[in-house]
């Protein structure tokens, strides 16, 4: 779908004010709020959520930093939701979410480096060279800081490029 458009999507985290409005609205019916977010190592969303929560003293907001993205973040959200629906304590839910976070890994690769270049994740020159040589990164998210790490680079044959593993 992205290839069929002339404009690239942009991503922007919600403002602290948006979080405060949401927390205030939710606290009107239940002051205990679990707020689950993309890794703080990849986005400022956790910081914005914390700032928003500080503006709403009537809410008891617990911020969860998934330290990942995509499916493993979704699994944490799903586990928290199911635990809450089952009437579990916040501590039990947080323990389950932590176990899922610790047990989950993600690996990503891309057919095309265009969006990494446009998003500033890699330089134009590096992207051009990699594209010409048909080299594709194997990317993961490390668990301590929740940041991207390049695990390997694969060439046109699909085999790991010799000496390129990081």
């Amino acid at each position: 779908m992205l290839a069929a458009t002339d404009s690239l999507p942009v991503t922007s985290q919600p403002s602290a004010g948006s979080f405060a409005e949401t927390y205030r609205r939710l606290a009107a019916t239940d002051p205990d709020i679990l707020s689950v977010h993309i890794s703080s190592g990849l986005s400022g969303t956790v910081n914005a959520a914390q700032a928003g929560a500080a503006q709403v003293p009537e809410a008891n907001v617990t911020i969860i930093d998934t330290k990942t993205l995509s499916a493993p973040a979704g699994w944490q959200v799903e586990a928290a939701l199911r635990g809450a629906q089952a009437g579990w304590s916040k501590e039990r839910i947080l323990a389950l979410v932590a176990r899922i976070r610790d047990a989950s890994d993600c690996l990503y690769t891309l057919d095309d480096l265009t969006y990494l270049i446009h998003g500033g994740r890699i330089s134009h020159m590096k992207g051009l060279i990699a594209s010409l040589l048909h080299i594709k990164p194997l990317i993961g998210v490390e668990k301590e800081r929740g940041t991207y790490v390049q695990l390997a680079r694969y060439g046109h044959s699909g085999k790991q490029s010799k000496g390129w593993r990081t």
Side-chain angles (χ1 to χ4, degrees), residues 5 12 25 27 71 82 84 86 97 111 113 115 137 150 153 159:
T5 183
S12 179
R25 182 176 45 80
R82 288 183 184 204
V97 168
D111 285 334
L113 302 180
Y115 304 112
Q150 183 171 312
R153 295 182 194 131
K159 294 182 181 175

Side-chain angles (χ1 to χ4, degrees), residues 90-100:
K90 179 172 69 172
E91 292 74 24
R92 187 174 177 192
I93 292 170
L94 294 175
L96 176 60
V97 168
R99 283 198 324 268
I100 291 168

